[in-house]
């Protein structure tokens, strides 16, 4: 039975060096006619794009019906695309990510999917900018639900449909860099490999009792062995 590996994006695979958060603030300025300094620091790590948008609406005391959230996120995505294609974009792929994905794709025992708070189009924009999108079959996205803990079953079902495989939940591993990834995995009974390449240290992540915790993906052979044989 193949293992289903569901990857988070930001802080796990890539670091956009603030471009995503800046695009949210761009959208807020454009959508509400306010200055970005009017907003408090946004809680981005592990959040879904719709949840972040809803927080912005609450901060400016506006209702957030679904059509308004969608319109706001459309603005965000336009700014995200612009910022990621700018000549001074300084985002990067995190250590070991590209060789790890290439190694896992060559293994019949691994099926690669996504479990991310990014809306689907945002995930495509970010991963395509770094040459990573082609490695993934399908997954669960922030556009499926604003609550990250609801995304695991969506990702599982999509991947089962796409691969014609029925995964044992013990063979499903969520891979992410935040406490929200750990809680998301637990919400549908999956394992979580926590990686300390985002805002949280290995000790902070380990204290939440994920299945395993690693500092990074830099040791690719060890990571392949852990993900497929541990």
């Amino acid at each position: 039975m193949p293992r289903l590996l569901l990857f988070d994006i930001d802080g796990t695979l890539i670091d956009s060096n603030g471009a995503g958060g800046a695009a949210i603030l761009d959208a807020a300025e454009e959508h509400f006619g306010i200055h970005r300094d009017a907003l408090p620091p946004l809680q981005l790590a592990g959040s879904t794009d719709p949840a972040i948008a809803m927080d912005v609406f609450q901060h400016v005391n506006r209702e957030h019906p679904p059509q308004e959230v969608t319109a706001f996120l459309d603005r965000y995505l336009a700014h995200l695309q612009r910022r990621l294609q700018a000549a001074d974009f300084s985002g990067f792929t995190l250590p070991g990510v590209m060789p790890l994905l290439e190694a896992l794709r060559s293994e019949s025992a691994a099926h690669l999917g996504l479990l991310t708070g990014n809306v689907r189009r945002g995930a495509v924009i970010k991963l395509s900018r770094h040459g990573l999108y082609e490695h993934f079959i399908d997954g669960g996205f922030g556009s499926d639900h604003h609550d990250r803990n609801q995304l695991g079953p969506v990702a599982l079902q999509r991947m089962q449909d796409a691969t014609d495989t029925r995964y044992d939940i013990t063979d499903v591993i969520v891979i992410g860099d935040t406490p929200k990834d750990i809680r998301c995995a637990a919400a549908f009974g999956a394992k979580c490999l926590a990686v300390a390449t985002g805002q949280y240290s290995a000790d902070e992540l380990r204290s939440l009792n994920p299945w395993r915790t690693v500092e990074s993906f830099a040791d690719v052979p060890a990571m392949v062995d852990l993900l497929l044989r541990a």
Side-chain angles (χ1 to χ4, degrees):
M1 177 72 70
R3 283 196 171 178
L4 175 57
L5 309 178
L6 296 171
F7 285 82
D8 172 54
I9 295 177
D10 298 288
T12 300
L13 298 174
I14 65 170
D15 185 333
S16 294
N17 202 20
I24 288 285
L25 296 177
D26 293 335
E29 289 189 329
E30 186 175 30
H31 197 80
F32 300 113
I34 62 171
H35 192 276
R36 62 188 60 216
D37 291 344
L39 291 173
L42 300 175
Q43 300 301 311
L44 303 180
S47 297
T48 66
D49 286 346
I52 294 167
M54 290 161 66
D55 283 346
V56 173
F57 275 72
Q58 289 173 349
H59 286 312
V60 298
N61 297 312
R62 290 277 293 271
E63 295 295 322
H64 47 76
Q67 65 271 20
E68 279 293 306
V69 172
T70 297
F72 178 87
L73 290 174
D74 284 344
R75 294 180 187 271
Y76 154 71
L77 291 167
H79 287 293
L80 180 68
Q81 179 75 50
R82 173 181 59 80
R83 285 185 172 275
L84 265 62
Q85 297 302 324
D88 62 351
F89 175 63
S90 56
F92 53 94
T93 303
L94 288 161
V97 164
M98 184 65 84
L100 175 61
L101 295 179
E102 291 172 348
L104 289 171
R105 277 189 72 189
S106 70
E107 296 272 357
S108 61
H111 289 170
L112 274 58
L114 295 165
L115 183 46
T116 174
N118 286 276
V119 294
R120 185 185 284 270
R121 190 149 60 96
V124 173
I125 290 170
K126 289 181 178 180
L127 293 176
S128 297
R129 176 65 176 82
H130 294 274
L132 301 178
Y133 184 66
E134 65 182 17
H135 292 287
F136 300 98
I137 299 169
D138 206 336
F141 304 87
S143 40
D144 296 312
H145 203 286
H146 71 273
D147 181 353
R148 194 183 188 103
N149 286 355
Q150 304 300 315
L151 299 183
V154 176
L156 178 60
Q157 187 62 57
R158 284 221 182 101
M159 290 296 293
Q160 289 184 156
D161 293 344
T163 64
D164 196 25
T165 302
R166 294 298 173 262
Y167 304 100
D168 190 302
I169 198 64
T170 61
D171 290 320
V172 179
I173 304 174
V174 174
I175 302 157
D177 67 297
T178 73
K180 290 182 180 179
D181 295 291
I182 297 171
R183 290 193 287 270
C184 176
F188 73 115
K191 298 172 181 175
C192 182
L193 172 65
V195 55
T197 46
Q199 296 181 12
Y200 296 89
S201 70
D203 286 342
E204 287 174 313
L205 295 170
R206 197 175 289 113
S207 71
L208 300 174
N209 300 311
W211 170 66
R212 296 283 195 281
T213 305
V214 296
E215 292 284 352
S216 75
F217 300 141
D219 187 343
V220 172
M223 289 305 309
V224 172
D225 193 56
L226 175 63
L227 287 168
L228 299 188
R229 289 174 271 281

